[in-house]
Amino acid sequence: HHMLKTASGKTTSVKGKGTCSKINCEFLVGVTVQSFDSENSNRDLHMQKVTKAHEFPLATVRVKIPSNLDTNILITDIEVDFAGKIHIYSKKEIKLVETNHVLIAEGQFDRELDKHEVEAPSLLGVSIKNQVPIEFNLKFSLL
């Protein structure tokens, strides 16, 4: 978000897996940074440069979920590895729904660029906001 304009990008090139024990399930989700598309190739190339996508091509997220969860709303920590820096976003909400051997996880949190040592791009000398909202909707097949 910038005072003059707002842009968003999305990707559907997400890969992930989860493993469960008696105590918890741990999920790892990865996405290639270059797969994000804002429908403006110049902006996308600039984003890849400032996020060091050629050096750190993959962004990953790790989440642990208690195996005996008895609610559809989980408050948990989300570990994000982006641009070569790991930061833990504490106490974030994830909505979980399980139907027909499919687990759907959805939610939103603000990724902070400075926590990953990414310098916020600027337009006309004014930087974009440090907080970048991340929305996710993931589906896992349960085996």
Side-chain angles (χ1 to χ4, degrees):
H1 179 77
H2 185 272
M3 63 185 228
L4 296 178
K5 67 184 335 183
T6 297
S8 64
K10 78 176 202 173
T11 184
T12 57
S13 298
V14 179
K15 298 207 183 262
K17 69 176 188 171
T19 56
C20 294
S21 69
K22 290 181 181 179
I23 299 169
N24 63 41
C25 297
E26 185 170 341
F27 292 89
L28 172 64
V29 177
V31 61
T32 55
V33 176
Q34 291 181 337
S35 70
F36 283 89
D37 182 7
S38 71
E39 299 182 353
N40 180 310
S41 60
N42 186 46
R43 179 175 41 235
D44 294 342
L45 287 173
H46 186 65
M47 178 274 298
Q48 293 169 20
K49 181 179 176 185
V50 299
T51 62
K52 305 172 217 143
H54 77 283
E55 187 177 353
F56 305 104
L58 195 63
T60 62
V61 175
R62 290 181 189 272
V63 175
K64 287 184 181 177
I65 299 172
S67 293
N68 61 352
L69 189 66
D70 59 358
T71 179
N72 286 356
I73 301 295
L74 170 67
I75 306 296
T76 191
D77 295 342
I78 299 174
E79 178 186 294
V80 177
D81 185 344
F82 179 69
K85 299 295 176 191
I86 296 172
H87 181 71
I88 296 175
Y89 295 89
S90 298
K91 299 180 180 170
K92 300 302 175 189
E93 184 176 295
I94 300 174
K95 180 180 176 188
L96 300 170
V97 176
E98 182 184 344
T99 57
N100 298 325
H101 301 290
V102 173
L103 176 67
I104 299 171
E106 57 185 32
Q108 176 275 293
F109 67 97
D110 287 339
R111 183 181 62 206
E112 299 174 49
L113 295 175
D114 61 349
K115 301 292 185 194
H116 300 279
E117 297 182 11
V118 172
E119 185 176 333
S122 62
L123 177 64
L124 300 174
V126 178
S127 295
I128 67 167
K129 285 188 174 183
N130 183 53
Q131 289 79 20
V132 176
I134 303 295
E135 295 179 22
F136 58 90
N137 185 312
L138 302 168
K139 295 177 183 176
F140 293 92
S141 295
L142 303 175
L143 303 177

